[in-house]
Amino acid sequence: MSSKNIVVIPGDGIGAEITTAALSVAQAAADKCHISFTYETKQAGGAAIDAYGVPLPEDTITACRRADGVLLGAVGGPKWDNVAPELRAEKAILGLRKELGLYANLRPIKVFPALAGQSPLKPEIVSSVDILIVRELNGGIYYGARQEATVINGVEQACDNEIYSRPEVERIVRLACRAAIGRKGKLMSVDKANVLATSRLWRKVAAEVVQDFEQVQLNHMYVDNCAMQLVLNPGSFDVIVTSNLFGDILSDEAAVLSGSIGLLPSASLGDGTGLYEPIHGSAPDIAGQGLANPLGTILSAAMLFRYSLSSEQAAAMIDQAVEQVLNDGYRTADIYQPGFTKVSTEEMGRQVIARLR
Ligand code: IPM
Ligand code: MG
C-alpha cells in the first residue's frame, strides 16, 4: 500500500501531550494493520502567533491541503486572549475549516459502559446514549459579516450576521442522511424556525433533501427544546443535524453525558483533506503536567483512519482498545475515582497500545 501523509498540529496548552500520545497509538495501530504513514508537525494557534506573528501560517495551510489527514490538538490560551480579533488563536481553527472546505463536523457522543456512573446524569438516563451530532461547519454566523463594537449615534454596538444558502444546507443534510443510514435511520434537524429566517430555509431544505433517502426518518426540533431533551431523554436521539452555532453549543452540552469532555473526538470533513481533533480546548491550566486525558485525541485518530485513510480495521482496533482500557480501570485525572488506577497522559496512551489487537 502506498504511504499516506499526516499533518500533526499540536497547537497550544495540552495539545502537545495529547497529540504525542495519539500519534504513538496511531503508529502502533498502523503497524498492526500493515498501513504505512509518515507525518510532519506544523504550527497553528498561539504557538504560530509566537513564532510567525499569525495564527495560521501559509506553510501550515499548504501542508494540510497536500496531506491525507490532519490531526490537531487544541489551540488558544489566556496568553493570546487580548490580541486583535483577526489574530486570535481560534482563527487558526476557523481558517483551517474554511481553507480546507470542511463543511461537516461529526461529533459522536457515546457513553462507555465503564463510565456510565461518571456522568452527572443518572446512569439509567445515559446508558443508552449513542448520538452523532452533524454540525454545519463552513457557514452561518461564524462566517457572516461582522462589525466589531463601534459607537454609532453615541451608542456602542456590534453586529454578527447569520447567513445560509440552499446548497450549504443541502450538502450537510445529505451527509447527515448518509450517516443516519449506517445507524438507526433517525435524523433530528435542529433549528429555531419560529424566529430565524435562516432556520426556516434550513427546515424547508432539510425536508426536501430527505425525500431522496427512503430509509431516513426526519423530525424537526427547536434548539431550545433540543437543549432540554438532551438532558431529559438523550437516548431518544440518533443523528442530529444542525447549524454551526447551534452545533457548537449542543455538542458541548451533549459531551457532558459521557462523563468527561476529554473523551470526545471529532472529524471535520469536506471535499479535500479531513481534520480530526478532540472537542475540548487547550486547558492551559493543566498543560505540561501529564494530567490531560488523551482519549478524545486517540479516538480522533481512529476517526482519521476511518474517514481519511479508509482503514476501518485500524479505526475499530483503536475504538475497542480504548473501551478495554476503561473496562480495565485505567483513569486519567478528569475521570478518576478511588479504587481505579490513576495514570498520566502518556501512560494512558501506552495502555491503549497494549490492548490493540
Ligand atoms: C469547537 C470550538 C471552536 C468553535 C472554537 C475554538 C472556535 O468551540 O470546535 O467547538 O467554536 O467551533
Ligand atoms: Mg465548541
Side-chain angles (χ1 to χ4, degrees), residues 187-206:
L187 181 61
M188 184 63 79
S189 173
V190 174
D191 62 39
K192 189 68 187 172
N194 49 348
V195 178
L196 302 178
T198 42
S199 282
R200 286 188 281 273
L201 173 69
W202 182 284
R203 192 174 273 228
K204 179 174 77 175
V205 172

Side-chain angles (χ1 to χ4, degrees), residues 155-354:
V155 182
E156 194 172 24
Q157 60 179 56
C159 170
D160 302 281
N161 276 285
E162 163 103 351
I163 305 179
Y164 269 115
S165 66
R166 169 176 282 274
E168 284 176 316
V169 181
E170 281 175 355
R171 65 181 178 180
I172 191 71
V173 174
R174 237 182 252 126
L175 189 142
C177 284
R178 287 195 294 269
I181 289 171
R183 299 169 49 100
K184 292 179 209 135
K186 279 169 51 180
L187 181 61
M188 184 63 79
S189 173
V190 174
D191 62 39
K192 189 68 187 172
N194 49 348
V195 178
L196 302 178
T198 42
S199 282
R200 286 188 281 273
L201 173 69
W202 182 284
R203 192 174 273 228
K204 179 174 77 175
V205 172
E208 287 172 22
V209 168
V210 169
Q211 300 298 313
D212 294 340
F213 297 87
E214 262 176 30
Q215 308 100 300
V216 176
Q217 183 204 330
L218 172 72
N219 283 292
H220 305 276
M221 192 178 263
Y222 295 141
V223 63
D224 46 352
N225 185 24
C226 182
M228 183 169 69
Q229 296 304 326
L230 276 172
V231 288
L232 275 182
N233 192 11
S236 66
F237 292 100
D238 180 19
V239 178
I240 291 175
V241 64
T242 192
S243 68
N244 206 342
L245 181 63
F246 295 161
D248 178 49
I249 298 167
L250 294 176
S251 60
D252 266 31
E253 186 194 0
V256 172
L257 303 171
S258 74
S260 170
I261 196 168
L263 294 164
L264 296 181
S266 80
S268 299
L269 308 175
D271 299 321
T273 313
L275 181 140
Y276 302 82
E277 56 174 324
I279 84 162
H280 59 72
S282 61
D285 52 322
I286 59 163
Q289 301 169 45
L291 292 174
N293 188 341
L295 294 180
T297 319
I298 290 171
L299 292 167
S300 299
M303 293 184 91
L304 190 155
F305 279 111
R306 176 168 293 125
Y307 297 112
S308 286
L309 303 186
S310 327
S311 180
E312 178 56 33
Q313 189 195 2
M317 186 181 275
I318 295 174
D319 285 348
Q320 280 155 22
V322 167
E323 182 150 359
Q324 196 55 51
V325 160
L326 293 171
N327 289 343
D328 291 346
Y330 292 92
R331 302 284 187 268
T332 40
D334 56 320
I335 48 174
Y336 175 74
Q337 285 180 326
F340 291 88
T341 312
K342 197 178 209 169
V343 290
S344 67
T345 310
E346 199 185 339
E347 181 60 22
M348 186 59 116
R350 273 197 294 272
Q351 293 297 339
V352 173
I353 291 172

